[in-house]
């Protein structure tokens, strides 16, 4: 259920934020490596899928769904692996990872090679929306991943991606509109966008962009009779985005806590 997912996501967010404490964990541990566009996340869960450790490092090693900085990615993962192992007091040998939906076989191999070269044996390469679906406890539905440059739409049936699309509208466009209106830099606009106290100053500006995202979603889902949209990705953090999307699509919109951590957690659960 979404309540269960939210509880786990809250725990993982706290683990990433806190200085890791040494934990004694003798049971089975499953680990996931998420090579995100903005952050790389290493997550460990116990045999009941409860998060026990999480590390996140900013890094631009993946662009447009492809690994662009192979060495940089390996160094970051190795570093997080080392930290995780020192906290656990034991070696971690196996991990799962994920790729954007629609990634070709050769590019899947590149993701896999990065994780292997970081010292892991790769048990599984899942696609990102399927990883998210594991956390959300769903087999059917629409997973909408609103990132920086793009919005990914995946229609899941029986836990598999039946249809996926990626369209070039996302959080970057929200920031560009804010920057243009207030005549501030893109970086300042990004900051303003993420600051919940500034909400009243940006809502009117960003609503048309969110409505455009809704139009894109509608275009892709018109042939499917799904009732619920599940939001993941960084831009899903925007306050009230779920309401605008619900209104413009006429569907139920579920927004989990910490939408950015759904995929990383799901990868570990699929290890
Ligand atoms: P893409 O999908 O284009 O490859 P990505 O995978 O890097 O991008 P995410 O990391 O999911 O995407 O999201 C990045 C976007 O989320 C950025 O536009 C960023 O400004 C936005 N974002 C992150 N946190 C917040 C927040 N708290 N409030 C609003 N926007 C946020």
């Amino acid at each position: 259920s979404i309540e269960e997912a939210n509880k786990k996501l809250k725990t993982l967010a706290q683990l990433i934020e806190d200085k890791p404490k040494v934990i004694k964990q003798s049971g089975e541990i499953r680990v996931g490596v998420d090579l995100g566009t903005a952050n790389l996340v290493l997550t460990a869960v116990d045999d009941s899928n409860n998060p026990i450790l999480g590390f996140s490092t900013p890094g631009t090693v993946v662009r447009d769904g492809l690994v662009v900085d192979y060495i940089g990615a390996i160094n970051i993962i190795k570093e997080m692996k080392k930290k995780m192992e020192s906290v656990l007091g034991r070696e971690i040998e196996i991990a799962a990872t994920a790729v954007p939906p629609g990634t070709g076989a050769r590019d899947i191999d590149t993701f896999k090679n990065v994780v292997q070269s970081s010292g892991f044996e790769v048990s599984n390469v899942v696609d990102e929306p399927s990883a998210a679906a594991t956390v959300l406890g769903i087999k059917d539905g629409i997973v909408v991943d609103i990132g920086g440059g793009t919005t990914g739409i995946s229609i899941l049936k029986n836990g598999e991606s039946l249809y996926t699309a990626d369209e070039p509208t996302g959080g970057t466009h929200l920031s560009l509109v804010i920057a243009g209106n207030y005549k501030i830099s893109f970086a300042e606009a990004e900051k303003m966008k993420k600051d919940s106290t500034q909400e009243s100053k940006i809502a009117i500006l960003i609503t048309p962009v969110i409505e455009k995202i809704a139009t894109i979603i509608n275009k892709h889902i018109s042939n499917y009779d799904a009732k619920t949209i599940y939001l993941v990705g960084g831009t899903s953090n925007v306050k009230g985005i779920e309401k605008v999307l619900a209104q413009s699509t006429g569907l139920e919109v579920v927004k989990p806590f910490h939408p950015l951590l759904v995929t990383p957690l799901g990868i570990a659960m699929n290890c």
Side-chain angles (χ1 to χ4, degrees):
S1 68
I2 188 70
E3 287 79 23
E4 228 173 288
N6 279 339
K7 222 174 110 194
K8 291 188 166 81
L9 290 163
K10 226 168 158 172
T11 304
L12 179 57
Q14 200 64 51
L15 288 165
I16 289 173
E17 203 173 297
D18 291 349
K19 195 172 176 294
K21 292 188 268 302
V22 174
I23 51 173
K24 288 219 176 352
Q25 239 290 342
S26 52
E28 202 188 313
I29 291 172
R30 282 171 303 134
V31 172
V33 179
D34 182 40
L35 295 157
T37 311
N39 297 290
L40 291 86
V41 184
L42 187 65
T43 308
V45 298
D46 66 14
D47 45 19
S48 311
N49 283 330
N50 293 310
I52 53 170
L53 274 175
F55 297 92
S56 178
T57 308
T60 46
V61 300
V62 171
R63 203 183 306 136
D64 299 328
L66 301 173
V67 178
V68 292
D69 180 4
Y70 195 87
I71 304 295
I74 292 168
N75 286 337
I76 291 173
I77 299 165
K78 269 188 174 165
E79 192 58 40
M80 290 195 290
K81 181 177 188 281
K82 217 164 78 188
K83 275 191 209 160
M84 189 175 270
E85 289 175 335
S86 85
V87 173
L88 287 168
R90 69 189 217 209
E91 204 180 329
I92 310 157
E93 281 150 6
I94 302 169
T97 192
V99 294
T103 304
R106 283 179 65 177
D107 295 318
I108 290 178
D109 280 345
T110 311
F111 276 84
K112 201 172 163 181
N113 287 339
V114 166
V115 180
Q116 280 172 339
S117 301
S118 309
F120 289 112
E121 186 186 316
V122 177
S123 63
N124 195 3
V125 183
V126 279
D127 80 295
E128 289 170 353
S130 303
T134 307
V135 176
L136 299 164
I138 56 163
K139 290 225 177 298
D140 304 284
I142 304 159
V143 175
V144 174
D145 184 346
I146 316 178
T150 65
T151 294
I153 299 120
S154 300
I155 297 167
L156 296 172
K157 281 265 183 297
N158 291 320
E160 305 266 322
S161 296
L162 198 70
Y163 172 87
T164 65
D166 211 30
E167 293 260 13
T169 305
T172 299
H173 304 82
L174 302 183
S175 300
L176 286 172
V177 168
I178 296 166
N181 184 76
Y182 288 108
K183 303 196 169 33
I184 55 178
S185 70
F186 180 78
E188 286 168 317
E190 279 276 310
K191 218 162 132 194
M192 192 171 176
K193 180 181 74 175
K194 294 178 189 173
D195 181 351
S196 54
T197 67
Q198 304 285 310
E199 193 207 343
S200 62
K201 290 189 192 152
I202 62 165
I204 198 169
L205 299 171
I206 63 172
T207 299
V209 186
I210 300 170
E211 284 168 347
K212 188 190 167 195
I213 293 174
T215 306
I216 292 170
I217 297 169
N218 281 332
K219 187 179 84 185
H220 288 284
I221 65 173
S222 60
N223 290 329
Y224 300 88
D225 61 343
K227 293 176 202 68
T228 310
I229 291 173
Y230 297 87
L231 291 183
V232 300
T235 300
S236 299
N237 280 300
V238 170
K239 214 167 162 204
I241 192 168
E242 67 278 19
K243 293 198 187 76
V244 179
L245 292 177
Q247 201 157 44
S248 307
T249 61
L251 299 178
E252 180 196 14
V253 178
V254 174
K255 169 167 150 172
F257 292 165
H258 308 290
L260 256 176
L261 296 178
V262 178
T263 303
L265 176 58
I267 300 171
M269 289 166 75
N270 275 285
C271 175

